[in-house]
Amino acid sequence: MLKAGSQAPSFSLPDQNGDLHTLEEFRGKKVILYFYPKDNTPGCTKQACGFGERYPQFQEKGAVIIGVSKDSVASHKKFEEKYELPFLLLSDPELSCIQAYDVWQEKKNYGKVSMGVVRTTYLINEEGVIEKVFGKVKAEANPEQMLQELDKD
């Protein structure tokens, strides 16, 4: 995982509509960049819907929410439509951003070891510097946790 105080790695990835986005376009705003394993799985759905339900509160605080997984643009589009998600979902099948943020790691599931995305949330400040890092976050609690972090400023 990357450390707080370090420059957030740049990225250029397509969203659920196929439009490219870079970290630089969000300068001047706080960015909640969260990495999750897979669209339409129970934990990932709870996390995404939690961010969706609280989206107006994040907007009031001037924060941008961006979810990243290795799912395809088409998968993200279905996920967005099914749950009416109001924020960006970036597709990273090549793992370029996922690896740059050091969230592609060994995972153990029922004794089986495999590589995968470790659920991680980064809070990036207006200048593109990582303010806080939350590793192995609890999917359901993460959106509220991030709102509370924004309140600390």
Side-chain angles (χ1 to χ4, degrees), residues 27-44:
R27 281 286 154 92
K29 293 184 178 227
K30 293 232 186 240
V31 176
I32 294 165
L33 185 66
Y34 82 95
F35 293 87
Y36 65 99
K38 192 160 179 46
D39 290 342
N40 287 303
T41 55
C44 298

Side-chain angles (χ1 to χ4, degrees), residues 50-65:
F51 277 121
E53 287 160 15
R54 294 166 180 82
Y55 190 67
Q57 293 165 272
F58 284 105
Q59 282 186 305
E60 280 171 26
K61 296 175 191 310
V64 176
I65 299 167

Side-chain angles (χ1 to χ4, degrees), residues 100-128:
Y101 280 84
D102 197 25
V103 295
W104 185 254
Q105 298 174 6
E106 200 173 84
K107 295 167 77 170
K108 285 192 177 94
N109 195 15
Y110 302 111
K112 186 175 155 248
V113 177
S114 62
M115 293 299 286
V117 172
V118 175
R119 193 182 307 279
T120 307
T121 303
Y122 287 95
L123 178 58
I124 301 169
N125 74 12
E126 294 84 350
E127 287 80 47

Side-chain angles (χ1 to χ4, degrees), residues 76-90:
H76 279 347
K77 189 67 186 166
K78 286 183 195 143
F79 191 44
E80 173 207 35
E81 288 174 348
K82 184 173 179 181
Y83 296 103
E84 297 177 1
L85 302 174
F87 53 87
L88 292 175
L89 296 173
L90 300 183

